[in-house]
Amino acid sequence: MLDSWEAKQSNYQHTLTVLARISSSVCESKSIPRESLRVMLVCGSDLLESFSIPGVWIREQVRAICRDYGVVCIRREGKDIERNNIKVVDELVPNQISSTRVRECISRRLSIKYLTPDEVIEYVKQQSLYLDSANK
């Protein structure tokens, strides 16, 4: 799900900013009491591995995400993950579809027809998302 606020932003938003925004908007709506709310980053193990690649993430933001929010990680086949404040969920039906692979397909101008809903495909086309400048 893409937060409507995030979709309206003209530039990339840091993950920590988005988590804080979602947390505050849910609390402001008073639909869930703050003490009952737990906003967490949901990701695949490939994104989680990128936390340790120098230059990909701002180190302080990784610490804040893990400390203040936590992470739910969908373990891909063959990946072992054990870290503090990270909940690991095994895939019930193993697949190799990930947001990273979908973005790679888009940047190479390959079809993502059966990888994601048609509404997402249309939005990506309208916004010209994930296209390498070399391919434009």
Side-chain angles (χ1 to χ4, degrees), residues 57-120:
W57 291 84
I58 299 169
R59 181 75 56 213
E60 295 78 28
Q61 290 196 4
V62 170
R63 285 188 192 109
I65 290 168
C66 293
R67 179 191 64 234
D68 300 341
Y69 296 96
V71 177
V72 175
C73 179
I74 310 300
R75 183 185 354 230
R76 304 277 184 217
E77 279 188 25
K79 304 282 183 179
D80 282 331
I81 302 150
E82 292 302 326
R83 299 191 187 179
N84 293 335
N85 210 17
I86 296 175
K87 310 292 184 208
V88 178
V89 178
D90 289 319
E91 292 177 299
L92 293 177
V93 178
N95 73 70
Q96 296 302 314
I97 299 171
S98 70
S99 58
T100 302
R101 287 184 186 216
V102 170
R103 287 190 301 272
E104 286 174 2
C105 286
I106 294 167
S107 71
R108 294 178 183 176
R109 301 203 183 256
L110 299 173
S111 174
I112 57 169
K113 176 70 176 161
Y114 300 104
L115 303 178
T116 191
D118 291 341
E119 295 84 4
V120 172

Side-chain angles (χ1 to χ4, degrees), residues 50 77 136:
S50 75
E77 279 188 25
K136 287 186 178 177

Side-chain angles (χ1 to χ4, degrees), residues 22-35 37:
I22 291 170
S23 181
S24 68
S25 70
V26 171
C27 288
E28 287 171 9
S29 72
K30 298 188 187 326
S31 57
I32 299 175
R34 183 174 293 277
E35 58 276 359
L37 177 67

